[in-house]
Amino acid sequence: MSKSTPLFVGLDVHKDSIAVAHAAGGRADPPVFVGAIGSRQADLDQLIRRLQGKTAQLTFAYEAGPSGDGLYRYLTGKGLACQVVAPSLIPRKPGDKVKTDRRDAVALARLLRSGDLTRVQPPSGKPSSTELELHGTLFPVDQSISISTRQ
């Protein structure tokens, strides 16, 4: 793969793992399933380094969901292109009811390459208190952020 070929990376994000697939731009080759990585920041940094060894042009996409926008903020903070996509607007074949992490990651990479994903704008600013409480293991935020609770 040449250094100028963009790489479209589909991520199927869960609390404990992230399934990864990528598709080369400008080609009709099927996406390649890379595997599952941990949800820690170090795991994602290692993946980014490995993919940047293939090309400098990386574009990531993952489904909006309870994992929040911490991953989006992290990737864009590193200067990488990232899209959060609406799960209900992802094109699916009729009768395709089987959902696996691998299939989802491969489909995201393929659809990102073809431009068939509908992106949503993640919230900007500080993470919500729900995100901090429920998903502190997925890119924990600085502990100095105070969380006010209503009673």
Side-chain angles (χ1 to χ4, degrees), residues 13-114:
V13 181
H14 299 282
K15 183 179 178 183
D16 298 326
S17 67
I18 302 173
V20 182
H22 63 74
R27 296 180 172 185
D29 296 340
V32 176
F33 180 69
V34 176
I37 63 170
S39 61
R40 295 178 310 140
Q41 197 169 336
D43 299 326
L44 193 61
D45 286 339
Q46 183 180 9
L47 172 73
I48 291 169
R49 280 192 305 275
R50 193 167 72 185
L51 294 176
Q52 283 178 331
K54 296 177 186 244
T55 183
Q57 299 177 26
L58 297 175
T59 303
F60 292 85
Y62 70 96
E63 292 181 2
S67 60
D69 60 327
L71 178 58
Y72 174 82
R73 285 193 307 269
Y74 182 73
L75 291 172
T76 56
K78 291 183 89 46
L80 299 167
C82 182
Q83 295 183 13
V84 180
V85 299
S88 61
L89 300 177
I90 294 175
R92 303 215 190 267
K93 295 177 186 172
D96 187 13
K97 305 261 189 244
V98 178
K99 279 187 54 90
T100 65
D101 297 345
R102 179 184 184 130
R103 278 187 172 189
D104 288 348
V106 167
L108 283 170
R110 182 176 38 79
L111 293 168
L112 179 61
R113 176 177 60 188
S114 67

